[in-house]
Amino acid sequence: MTEPLHAVCYFDEKCRALGKDLGLKGFWMGYFASRTAPLGAVEPAAATAVLGVFAPGMVARALPAAWSVAGPAHILEERGSRAAQALRRIDPELEQRTTDLLPPLQTLVDEAPATARPLFAANRALCDHADPVERLWQLVTALREFRGDAHLAVLADEGLDGCEALVLAAASGRVPKDTIQEDRGWSEEEWAAATDRLCSRGLVDADGHATEHGLRERERIENATDRLAGRMLHALPETETEALLHALDAAVRRVLAADVLPFPNPIGLPHLDEPLPHTTERSPGPAAAPPAS
């Protein structure tokens, strides 16, 4: 449910220009630097493992070179400020609603377990902004990384590497195949090899389409991710969770309606006329995985 609020940092024009404005080489160097900056000046091997679905070579072209241009602290300052500005442009009334949104979101973030959730833990430590909209963005970012960390744990448990996870996601129609391969840095040879491995497991057919077994596997992955991610909601009574989801609804719909997020997109966000990703069953529902799987 909170994913669209977080996602402005990837699609808003001024957010996308962060890397270039800081002297980095384009969007992707800025992306890897800003996404991993909560962890400090992380090396490419660790960043690749934490992000999960990007080709190692793509990450290595950005890190650690980015840290010699802009340090993590400066990048984080710009990231949060630009995200808050984007949300204010989209929803001028959002700051007024933070009074209702911030306390329950802070409770969720404070009480969520951090073990084996590195990006969540690193982002949780940043949720002390004085600016209410920036703090809101950082809180929902911490929550989306909580689910992202859970998603990668499920993929690993199912025996899927990053490229295989993307092939299966594209084969089942969750993300656009024509862009996701290039956007995540996988070569034609690597993509084909991953497809062959999935074909040998009966998850995709010879044409690269998901089989019934593959579709069930994707559903099982999402359900397991929802189960693990749903633990973040245990800190609130169910009535308070429902109230929070209701309070978030207007802001999320404004983001989806704004001319900011593309549809389809590489992180699986639904269009405004599709059901919003939340449920009443003590789970955050099928939101998108880390950008993007």
Side-chain angles (χ1 to χ4, degrees), residues 182-206:
E182 181 179 358
D183 283 350
R184 301 300 174 256
W186 299 102
S187 68
E188 289 287 348
E189 293 75 16
E190 290 168 325
W191 192 269
T195 302
D196 288 343
R197 293 193 297 273
L198 294 184
C199 188
S200 70
R201 294 172 57 178
L203 297 174
V204 301
D205 60 25

Side-chain angles (χ1 to χ4, degrees), residues 35-36 38-40 42 46-47 49-51 113-125 142 145-146 148-150 152-153:
R35 181 106 188 272
T36 63
L39 298 165
V42 66
V50 168
L51 297 178
T115 302
R117 296 172 174 88
L119 272 179
F120 164 71
N123 275 277
R124 177 164 67 181
E145 297 294 17
F146 185 95
D149 289 338
L152 292 183

Side-chain angles (χ1 to χ4, degrees), residues 38-127:
L39 298 165
V42 66
E43 292 293 318
T48 300
V50 168
L51 297 178
V53 295
F54 290 90
M58 185 179 186
V59 180
R61 286 192 291 273
L63 304 177
W67 310 129
S68 65
V69 179
H74 183 39
I75 292 172
L76 288 174
E77 181 181 355
E78 282 291 321
R79 180 184 78 151
S81 174
R82 291 178 185 227
Q85 291 170 21
L87 288 175
R88 281 189 167 97
R89 285 193 295 272
I90 293 169
D91 186 357
E93 299 175 1
L94 181 59
E95 184 166 346
Q96 301 172 27
R97 291 196 291 274
T98 58
T99 302
D100 295 326
L101 294 172
L102 292 178
L105 287 172
Q106 188 71 60
T107 297
L108 294 181
V109 169
D110 287 346
E111 298 299 323
T115 302
R117 296 172 174 88
L119 272 179
F120 164 71
N123 275 277
R124 177 164 67 181
L126 305 174
C127 296

